[in-house]
Amino acid sequence: MASPGKAPRPSLDSVTTIREDGSRLFLHPSDARGRFTRWRRSTGWLLIAVYLALPWIPVGGHPAVFLDVAARRFHLFGYTLAFQDIWLLFFLISGLGFGLFFVTALLGRVWCGWACPQTVFLDHVYRRIERWLEGDAPARRALDAAPWTAGKVVRRAAKQVLFAVVSLAIAHLFLAYFVSIPELWAMMHAAPAAHWGAFVFVFVSAALLYFNFAWFREQLCIVVCPYGRMQSVLIDDHSMVIGYDEKRGEPRGPRPAGLNVNAAGDTLGDCVACNRCVQVCPTGIDIRQGLQIECIGCAACIDACDEIMAKVKKPAGLIRYDSLEGLAGRVTRWLRPRTAVYALLLLVGAGVATWALSTVRPANAGVTRMAGAPYFVDEQYVRNQFLVRLVNKRDVPVRFTLALPGSPASMLRTGFEQPVEVAPLGERVSPLVVRLPRTEFRGVFHLDVAISDEEGSFTLVRGVEFVGPDPELLREEERERAEGGGR
Ligand code: SF4
Ligand code: SF4
């Protein structure tokens, strides 16, 4: 059994970060150097810049992404969606889901290794702080094992304080997506009691971020993330993964420089068993044991192995991006039933989402029947009463007008004193009463209610039913009334 202080060897039977006694092994992956590390770092910083910039960049008078929960408006790259348009999110989310399925079927866990916020912030922010304060991986492991001297206390405390500050900063940035930067700034200058909800939100978010990035780390990918657990059903032997070329690398073993035989005279493959690929792995696995669910596709082992191959004067790519078929020496097929189906679903989803977005108007309206009796009948008219709910999604007041296209010429309308002005981003409910002479009522019929702005830049048409009593009863009453009047 491994001692509590000793790291277990990566195995397929257990997670490396759990020792045999059940305690957590805190990983200190070594630094990798190479082209993928450089490209991932550039991508990571670009993504962090995008996350930071989105609440600042104005598009159409609002931040590029502003989920204004208080006003029940969602501003996405110039589109303003009211709460009533929330059904569009179904297409957006399912489109993203199909997109991720398609990318995973083609490129494996490229999202996890390159773009997931968990990887981006952990690798390019928190681990950089740790590296800066505590040194490289051997120095950090030595610090873990060292007794608690004043120097260790200071370094550990500084690291935790910096982690907490960064977590608070990210939590504030996260909040800015919901309240906007000016509102966030105002909140930061006011007493917490003035906005308890936001205050608690920020501190709970910061605490979760701190817990995750300071301690939990790769465990989130290994045991919590549902996407990671779905990999085995999304990919197949033709999907691009990061893998070890067993045919080329085995049998592995150390050997004198420049030779392919060991001291016993056995012919060896290209793997010199240096274990660099294991040391750099942020989830602690040995990729030479094959594709594993813990592999997040970070490509650190590719860079580590390429560096070793350069030193032993062998071609790069013993560990590389390839499919399992490619690693076995066969041809990788990009077009397969699953990639075709995912691509089709993605195209259909993108098409429907584009159409749905094109139907979004700068205003919304709903016409509902007033509570109570569905209709009223007096001596002259059959009357129906409705409530017209007007929603203005613009930043300027909008004056709404209403018409009843195609309605009978004798129909009268009251209640909607047009134009009805609705404040910027506001809502207003106005009554609408429509009356039809009882002699003209021939039964239930469809009535269109057309709502426009004064400039005529949009028209929203809502259909309602004009209802009344049985026309036969009305005619009977009319006859009786006429006979009574004649006597
Ligand atoms: S096996 Fe390689 S690609 Fe996978 S997580 Fe480890 S270092 Fe990253
Ligand atoms: S880094 Fe390359 S050579 Fe070294 S153990 Fe890993 S696969 Fe073998």
Side-chain angles (χ1 to χ4, degrees):
M1 181 175 151
S3 73
K6 197 174 163 214
R9 291 183 66 79
S11 105
L12 295 179
D13 299 326
S14 173
V15 177
T16 312
T17 47
I18 300 174
R19 292 193 180 93
E20 284 181 33
D21 65 358
S23 61
R24 163 85 183 276
L25 170 71
F26 198 88
L27 289 178
H28 289 293
S30 299
D31 301 330
R33 285 175 294 271
R35 60 197 165 131
F36 289 114
T37 304
R38 283 195 302 279
W39 292 343
R40 277 183 72 239
R41 192 166 296 156
S42 307
T43 310
W45 279 109
L46 182 68
L47 286 170
I48 289 172
V50 170
Y51 300 148
L52 288 173
L54 284 179
W56 293 87
I57 299 173
V59 181
H62 295 284
V65 178
F66 178 23
L67 311 174
D68 189 355
V69 178
R72 296 191 295 165
R73 298 284 188 284
F74 306 105
H75 306 282
L76 300 172
F77 302 101
Y79 275 97
T80 295
L81 304 178
F83 195 68
Q84 293 86 343
D85 301 321
I86 202 133
W87 58 275
L88 287 171
L89 289 183
F90 167 78
F91 295 108
L92 202 64
I93 292 167
S94 55
L96 286 176
F98 288 135
L100 207 54
F101 284 8
F102 178 64
V103 169
T104 307
L106 276 187
L107 303 174
R109 291 184 78 167
V110 70
W111 159 261
C112 304
W114 290 72
C116 175
Q118 167 77 5
T119 311
V120 166
F121 281 106
L122 180 58
D123 277 7
H124 308 305
V125 179
Y126 289 83
R127 284 203 206 277
R128 298 314 297 165
I129 293 172
E130 199 164 62
R131 175 77 171 77
W132 175 55
L133 285 171
E134 296 184 349
D136 60 11
R140 294 198 300 274
R141 277 185 222 113
L143 191 67
D144 273 356
W148 280 97
T149 59
K152 177 169 172 173
V153 170
V154 169
R155 274 208 275 176
R156 282 284 152 93
K159 181 176 84 170
Q160 300 306 331
V161 168
L162 266 180
F163 280 176
V165 169
V166 172
S167 301
L168 268 171
I170 298 174
H172 278 83
L173 174 72
F174 188 42
L175 181 64
Y177 279 88
F178 296 90
V179 299
S180 80
I181 293 286
E183 179 65 19
L184 175 67
W185 188 246
M187 283 178 174
M188 288 167 68
H189 286 81
H195 44 76
W196 272 118
F199 188 75
V200 170
F201 175 88
V202 160
F203 274 87
V204 170
S205 308
L208 288 173
L209 288 167
Y210 174 78
F211 167 77
N212 175 44
F213 288 119
W215 189 76
F216 201 52
R217 297 190 169 187
E218 74 289 336
Q219 299 301 311
L220 187 101
C221 312
I222 296 173
V223 298
V224 178
C225 178
Y227 175 61
R229 311 211 71 79
M230 281 163 52
Q231 294 304 305
S232 44
V233 292
L234 294 176
I235 65 171
D236 59 20
D237 289 355
H238 293 273
S239 304
M240 200 53 54
V241 293
I242 289 173
Y244 166 70
D245 189 340
E246 201 176 322
K247 287 198 286 80
R248 183 184 144 190
E250 299 295 319
R252 71 185 76 159
R255 77 286 310 268
L259 296 180
N260 259 9
V261 289
N262 61 14
D266 304 320
T267 304
L268 297 172
D270 283 355
C271 174
V272 297
C274 63
N275 268 355
R276 271 291 290 162
C277 50
V278 180
Q279 289 158 7
V280 298
C281 180
T283 59
I285 60 170
D286 182 348
I287 195 66
R288 293 169 300 172
Q289 293 171 338
L291 190 59
Q292 292 149 72
I293 200 166
E294 295 97 324
C295 176
I296 58 166
C298 70
C301 53
I302 300 183
D303 278 344
C305 190
D306 282 353
E307 201 179 9
I308 297 296
M309 290 297 109
K311 281 184 187 157
V312 297
K313 302 197 170 33
K314 299 275 183 193
L318 179 55
I319 298 176
R320 62 177 180 269
Y321 274 109
D322 207 339
S323 68
L324 294 180
E325 288 287 308
L327 288 165
R330 293 185 286 270
V331 177
T332 301
R333 277 192 293 115
W334 292 93
L335 184 62
R336 319 187 291 281
R338 79 170 59 208
T339 52
V341 169
Y342 291 154
L344 190 67
L345 289 172
L346 179 60
L347 285 176
V348 170
V352 174
T354 308
W355 166 80
L357 272 178
S358 72
T359 65
V360 173
R361 297 282 177 270
N364 211 337
V367 183
T368 52
R369 193 173 297 280
M370 271 191 204
Y375 61 85
F376 300 88
V377 183
D378 58 26
E379 293 203 338
Q380 282 185 287
Y381 295 102
V382 178
R383 192 171 87 237
N384 279 207
Q385 304 182 152
F386 301 96
L387 289 176
V388 182
R389 179 180 294 276
L390 304 166
V391 180
N392 177 10
K393 301 186 209 167
R394 289 179 179 161
D395 283 343
V396 291
V398 171
R399 288 151 70 88
F400 289 88
T401 60
L402 183 146
L404 302 173
S407 61
S410 55
M411 182 166 262
L412 299 175
R413 197 190 83 202
T414 52
F416 193 96
E417 297 302 332
Q418 57 189 10
V420 173
E421 185 167 306
V422 181
L425 301 178
E427 277 188 37
R428 193 162 159 188
V429 177
S430 184
L432 169 68
V433 179
V434 281
R435 288 180 295 162
L436 189 69
R438 44 190 291 159
T439 50
E440 303 221 359
F441 183 70
R442 306 270 181 275
V444 176
F445 63 94
H446 179 89
L447 185 63
D448 277 340
V449 180
I451 297 153
S452 316
D453 62 342
E454 254 187 347
E455 296 78 38
S457 67
F458 65 83
T459 299
L460 306 163
V461 178
R462 302 290 180 255
V464 291
E465 301 269 275
F466 188 92
V467 296
D470 183 344
E472 272 306 314
L473 286 176
L474 281 179
R475 276 196 285 279
E476 183 77 17
E477 274 183 39
E478 287 300 316
R479 270 196 302 274
E480 282 174 11
R481 218 168 344 145
E483 285 168 16
R487 273 198 291 266

